[in-house]
Amino acid sequence: MKHFDIALIGLGAATMSLAVRLVLRSYPGSIAIIEPREQPGDDRTWCGWRLAEHPFSAHATRTWSTWAVSDGGQSVIRGSTRTPYEMLRASTVQRQALDAIATRPDWALYAGRSLISADMDDTRWMLQLDDGGSIIADRVLDSRPPALTLKRPWVWQSFVGRELVGPDLPDDSPVRLMDFLDDPTPLLTFVYELPIAPGRRLIELTRFAPQRPSLSALGARLDGLLADRGLADHTIAREESSHLPMTPVPPYNQDGWMRVGTAGGSMRPATGYAFHGIQRWADDCADALMAGRSPVAPARRRGMDWLDGVFLESLWRHRPAGTAGTPFVQLFERTPAESMVRFLMSQPQLADIYKILRALPPAPMLRAALAHSRQAMD
């Protein structure tokens, strides 16, 4: 039975980000990676503002210096040349990670294998795989999605996206972060667009809701929107869809078993952004391992979690239903771009938080804050 210093469960953003850093730093330990898929897929993209360089920066598919938010006839465009908004394809990140892993003969990639059981023997984990094999690991970093039940104010962010190829798709427009739709379904629905290249664009339909909606129903509505825009005959080069739990996930790090990525709390509850927070965690975790210490769990800022809860509670309370896009437009319009970016990427300065709070309507936010505080105490 093979013995490894670390086992990584799932080839997700967190485990790939850590693996690449450990290869670059010549980590002396041995690592096993257990991944159910045989080959990398191109089933998702990771986006966000690049506040700092990371090992995947050079492989970004595209960066943009402007972005827009709109609701009805009102639209606001903001931008920054210092802090680009970037898109990374999962397939590109996976290929970089797999190439790095392949340079380490003392590491092992168990592709097409799933973990079916784990038992601790003294201070080591005995991991049983679905093909009958097993390995031993001193530490386990688990990136598998957590099973969660969400309570108000926390919601699911569900989306379906189509990457289209065809005419009449210019690439000189800004990223459209949120183009809100008139939708009575709680809490809000919007279209997200990335103009990737001339003749190529990713268009997603996203919904915030208390329960996970049907992805097929979301996809049917997206197809209707594409038809309304005259894009029904364009080629669909790629599709992506998911349900993201917009809730604070507490870190778990016990007996040498640690959850990482979304499972470990790296995702921002009010936005769904996770990739760049994972990069910060991967830096800290790699530093600890290279120094001979235990891996560190993703860090959470309770103050930011509370603010996220207040904002989502304000969406629950927003009336009339289907008009919750107005506060977002006001927020982007009244807040300086750099402050907005740092806040969305969970790296705000104190002055940024003040500017965010000043941009929001005070009375509704105060009522939401009181309600969320009561919920937190129940």
Side-chain angles (χ1 to χ4, degrees), residues 253-331:
N253 188 11
Q254 297 180 18
D255 300 324
W257 192 289
M258 186 170 74
R259 297 193 182 108
V260 298
T262 299
S266 288
M267 193 179 75
R268 177 72 185 277
T271 65
Y273 287 117
F275 185 82
H276 295 81
I278 285 171
Q279 301 312 302
R280 294 190 293 272
W281 163 79
D283 283 333
D284 294 340
C285 194
D287 288 344
L289 289 170
M290 292 302 298
R293 303 191 304 269
S294 298
V296 297
R300 297 211 61 83
R301 298 172 65 176
R302 292 187 178 182
M304 294 296 294
D305 287 346
W306 184 82
L307 286 173
D308 286 348
V310 170
F311 191 73
L312 289 175
E313 174 61 26
S314 73
L315 297 182
W316 278 85
R317 303 168 68 86
H318 194 85
R319 294 295 182 271
T323 63
T326 303
F328 286 89
V329 175
Q330 293 176 348
L331 185 59

Side-chain angles (χ1 to χ4, degrees), residues 22 27 41 60 93 132 159-160 166 203 226 235 239 250 254 286 289 292 307 310 320 343 345 352:
L22 293 178
Y27 175 63
V93 174
F159 65 89
V160 174
I203 303 179
L226 296 178
T235 300
E239 300 179 75
Q254 297 180 18
L289 289 170
L307 286 173
V310 170
F343 182 78
M345 301 310 291
D352 299 328

Side-chain angles (χ1 to χ4, degrees), residues 59 61 64 77 85 90 96 129 149 165 177 220 239 258 260 270 346:
H59 300 280
T61 301
W64 298 264
I77 298 176
Y85 190 83
Q96 184 177 346
L129 307 183
T149 300
V165 177
L177 297 174
E239 300 179 75
M258 186 170 74
V260 298
S346 302

Side-chain angles (χ1 to χ4, degrees), residues 122-186:
D122 296 326
T123 60
R124 304 181 303 178
W125 285 96
M126 313 287 290
L127 306 178
Q128 185 71 36
L129 307 183
D130 61 354
D131 66 347
S134 57
I135 63 173
I136 298 172
D138 295 332
R139 299 186 180 103
V140 178
L141 276 62
D142 187 355
S143 69
R144 293 173 299 176
L148 297 171
T149 300
L150 307 188
K151 296 182 179 180
R152 181 171 175 171
W154 312 112
V155 297
W156 291 96
Q157 180 183 158
S158 303
F159 65 89
V160 174
R162 315 267 196 246
E163 187 171 323
L164 303 181
V165 177
D168 304 320
L169 294 173
D171 71 334
D172 56 353
S173 57
V175 170
R176 194 153 295 277
L177 297 174
M178 292 175 283
D179 183 4
F180 291 94
L181 302 178
D182 184 8
D183 188 348
T185 304

